[in-house]
Amino acid sequence: MSLPLEVPARQLIVQKFGGSSVADAAGIKRVAQRVVDTQRAGHEVVVVVSAMGDTTDELLDLSSQITDQAPAREMDMLLSAGERISMALLAMAINKLGAKARSFTGSQAGMITDGIHGKARIIDVDPHRVRTALDKGAVAIVAGFQGVSRESHDITTLGRGGSDTTAVALAAALDADVCEIYTDVDGVYTADPRVVPTAKKIDRISSEEMLELAASGAKILHLRCVEYARRFGVPLHVRSSFSQHEGTWVLPSPDDKITISEGVALEQPIISGVAHDRSEAKVTVVGVPDIPGKAAAIFQVIAKAHANVDMIVQNISTFGRGKTDISFTLPIVEGADALEALKAAQGEIGFEDIEYNAEIGKLSLIGAGMRSNPGVSATFFQALSDAGININMISTSEIRISVVTRADLLDAAVRAIHSAFNLDAESEATVYGGTGR
Amino acid sequence: MSLPLEVPARQLIVQKFGGSSVADAAGIKRVAQRVVDTQRAGHEVVVVVSAMGDTTDELLDLSSQITDQAPAREMDMLLSAGERISMALLAMAINKLGAKARSFTGSQAGMITDGIHGKARIIDVDPHRVRTALDKGAVAIVAGFQGVSRESHDITTLGRGGSDTTAVALAAALDADVCEIYTDVDGVYTADPRVVPTAKKIDRISSEEMLELAASGAKILHLRCVEYARRFGVPLHVRSSFSQHEGTWVLPSPDDKITISEGVALEQPIISGVAHDRSEAKVTVVGVPDIPGKAAAIFQVIAKAHANVDMIVQNISTFGRGKTDISFTLPIVEGADALEALKAAQGEIGFEDIEYNAEIGKLSLIGAGMRSNPGVSATFFQALSDAGININMISTSEIRISVVTRADLLDAAVRAIHSAFNLDAESEATVYGGTGR
């Protein structure tokens, strides 16, 4: 009798699969095989799944046949049926492979949220039923995207990127070793390969940089998921469900980064990548009285409409009128509600007009230590100028420069910046598409 | 200012709609209109819905693409998604008509069950969230067919007839004035109009007689629903969702019957109707040692396999061998499990063989006071004899005579009995079909 030379460490691994991975029976069986392989390698596995490929669209179509103003509570009840279907089927498929599995709704898995239907925030996670299932040797399958309101006990959904957030929140609550986000590309790229065919896969990136990439429109990971992972120190591994290759590790702090891949951080280029985003619109509130409190009043109105403001620019007070213009960007889907709320408050705030433009694009360059390298912004603006691209808005952070341009110039801008910072690979990447939940 | 001459009594009404009533958006809108009309007439309304027409079949098809041995827990998780969809859509449709509605899963509505997946029994109902919704002026919509296990907190389903049972259980727990079961016929008939075109609609029937009709194969109301209604004194009103006509009232006790329709009970014919059933098979356990305890052993084995035995006949011990044959009927769908369980126990019980016959039909004549009218059984057997129909098994109760015949002779037997007891109407009835859940 001999013992194996190396006993692999037993890990708790959370694996998240999106709707395109479980789009049909064949996809569900493939996911089941990967889950069972992971368990048989000696690990504890928690799986978070989205609804099957078209399910959400089919349910939305049904509701649109009934009404164009569905109550948000009932829309959440409707949409949360989707994960119920995919997770039960996945449990059956795992069972068929001879392993044990138990599926849990968001409520059963202890995903406690606030009561804002359609975009609820997780406020607590109590995964004791998940932990019990693992203790009994079962794979635990959890419905992504959904939870239960602490106050009303109603079913809630987390909005876009919700399944990623479910996975990270569970990983944090269970003290998991890693949260694997499966997608249909090999990892995070220096730019969207559909726009920049020479984009390169990033092997390791800090949470901070990934946060800026996600906030700037990189669709592979949702902002909330990265924020959550960073706050709770959860290592993310973004990888392909179609291969066994290592993907991109998103590591919560520089210390962890050095521990896991010694010295690599020091060798990293300053620039991580280029992100772009077409999902936002620009709102300009014209002729705001230039007295204290008016900007606060505007953004309180926007916050009450549950719209997420991104960039904000206050233009110089013009014409000596004692008035100013305030511009900001927000998701196009939230534009109508925000405009309505603003118009209702026009008398109270006293502005003159509102302009709305959805034909914009946002480009962001992300890299650690960018501010300490004075050449970066010079190179950045020179590259855009050389490409003949006019800039509408500018916003910067410690590790990011973002600009707003005309939507039809965005792709050219991304390519110009990617080249200017020498991010181009020698061969072309495979093209990816994002997943909704 | 004038007061209305008659203030209609405010009632609490539970309305149950099956899958065919909510098969598409148009059906859901029609149901919503009826619900809102009832509420606007001054009543409190609780609606119980099944899954939309084809949803259950589609979900079963998906699971069969994954495995032919789905774990029962996961099958319940899968199937319970169906009601979530229909009830959320119905809530939206009611909202669209300007009324308030809140949908609740079985678990949220407090349908507490045992842990037998696929055919769970309700053991407690705690509808406080439903009551609160009513108090706030909303229509409460509850998912039929599903509950939550008290022990494991897992989602359960109630099996066939489950939505009717949900409706009656809620009506009992809320002390509702009536539980309306909507279907696609006008009520309960003296026989299946597809077999006996001259069958008549019954205006009023006692719970006891309806129980025997349902137990004997009348598909319009499920046995469990009638049992529950009888035990808790819930008046049922079986009626068409396509008309405003009064349907059939199923009244919990003779006292209620006389209260509600004075004198009518006395005028009712002794015979309520003829039911038939093709869903059962006959099992004969051959060569059972004729000593005490063997029948008990056999039916313990059957009970452990969760099969529902209907008729039981022990034949006369033959050939002086000290052995006997025991025959019983049970649902065909439970036949395989029961046979397997019996075969496993063959050595222990010591019987010789098992015979199985699914090509049988059961006919039942139901009527109050039947036993006290000695002419009934004579007329019954004479009619079958005149029609040339041979009898396999006989079983009787206070208000029922049932016989098992060859399946291919069943329709002729039903017509012969219906005529012999003068149940034929002068005109032909409209034909109906049953609903699954």
Side-chain angles (χ1 to χ4, degrees), chain B residues 350-370:
Chain B
F351 60 82
E352 289 171 2
D353 200 5
I354 305 175
E355 288 169 6
Y356 180 79
N357 181 6
E359 298 295 315
I360 63 160
K362 187 177 74 167
L363 176 155
S364 303
L365 180 72
I366 285 96
M370 186 183 283

Side-chain angles (χ1 to χ4, degrees), chain B residues 245-296:
Chain B
H245 299 150
E246 287 270 305
T248 300
W249 283 87
V250 182
L251 297 166
S253 81
D255 294 352
D256 284 350
K257 189 168 176 171
I258 289 169
T259 308
I260 293 178
S261 59
E262 290 166 24
V264 172
L266 301 177
E267 295 172 42
Q268 285 231 327
I270 293 171
I271 304 301
S272 295
V274 184
H276 70 274
D277 190 355
R278 270 179 237 278
S279 69
E280 296 195 344
K282 179 183 172 187
V283 177
T284 302
V285 188
V286 179
V288 182
D290 195 7
I291 50 176
K294 290 300 175 187

Side-chain angles (χ1 to χ4, degrees), chain A residues 163-432:
Chain A
S163 289
D164 287 1
T165 308
T166 301
V168 174
L170 270 172
L174 292 163
D175 198 18
D177 295 283
V178 57
C179 178
E180 296 181 339
I181 307 287
Y182 283 90
T183 178
D184 45 8
V185 271
D186 282 337
V188 182
Y189 279 74
T190 52
D192 183 341
R194 284 171 302 192
V195 175
V196 182
T198 52
K200 283 183 292 193
K201 193 191 83 183
I202 302 169
D203 290 333
R204 283 169 183 74
I205 186 169
S206 72
S207 296
E208 288 72 21
E209 290 162 282
M210 191 65 229
L211 202 55
E212 293 282 6
L213 270 176
S216 306
K219 287 173 195 67
I220 193 160
L221 278 181
H222 201 274
L223 182 60
R224 293 170 62 188
C225 153
V226 184
E227 277 178 344
Y228 211 110
R230 182 184 176 210
R231 188 171 314 148
F232 291 95
V234 176
L236 298 177
H237 187 185
V238 182
R239 58 194 303 193
S240 168
S241 63
F242 295 96
S243 79
Q244 299 292 333
H245 300 149
E246 287 269 307
T248 299
W249 283 86
V250 182
L251 298 167
S253 81
D255 295 352
D256 283 353
K257 186 166 175 173
I258 290 168
T259 309
I260 293 177
S261 61
E262 291 168 23
V264 172
L266 301 177
E267 294 171 44
Q268 285 230 330
I270 294 169
I271 304 301
S272 294
V274 184
H276 70 274
D277 189 355
R278 266 179 240 277
S279 69
E280 296 195 344
K282 180 182 171 187
V283 177
T284 302
V285 187
V286 178
V288 181
D290 195 9
I291 50 175
K294 289 301 174 185
I298 286 172
F299 292 107
Q300 273 160 15
V301 166
I302 301 296
K304 271 188 198 153
H306 299 298
N308 292 296
V309 169
D310 179 21
M311 294 166 75
I312 301 176
V313 175
Q314 178 167 348
N315 297 356
I316 298 156
S317 189
T318 48
F319 308 119
R321 300 178 301 166
K323 302 220 169 189
T324 186
D325 298 343
I326 296 178
S327 295
F328 58 90
T329 63
L330 82 181
I332 290 172
V333 293
E334 298 172 355
D337 284 353
L339 287 187
E340 198 178 318
L342 272 179
K343 278 174 193 157
Q346 182 165 10
E348 190 194 328
I349 301 175
F351 59 82
E352 290 169 3
D353 199 6
I354 304 175
E355 287 169 6
Y356 181 78
N357 180 7
E359 297 296 314
I360 62 159
K362 187 177 74 167
L363 175 155
S364 303
L365 180 72
I366 285 99
M370 185 184 285
R371 186 93 35 113
S372 60
N373 189 326
V376 170
S377 51
T379 306
F380 182 87
F381 292 112
Q382 187 62 48
L384 291 178
S385 168
D386 291 348
I389 292 157
N390 206 34
I391 298 168
N392 276 333
M393 290 172 89
I394 302 174
S395 149
T396 60
S397 82
E398 223 20 62
I399 58 173
R400 176 183 52 78
I401 307 176
S402 297
V403 292
V404 167
T405 69
R406 266 171 40 197
D408 59 344
L409 298 177
L410 186 62
D411 285 356
V414 171
R415 281 189 289 267
I417 296 295
H418 200 265
S419 288
F421 286 92
N422 301 311
L423 293 169
D424 294 342
E426 300 193 354
S427 63
E428 297 196 356
T430 48
V431 168
Y432 67 88

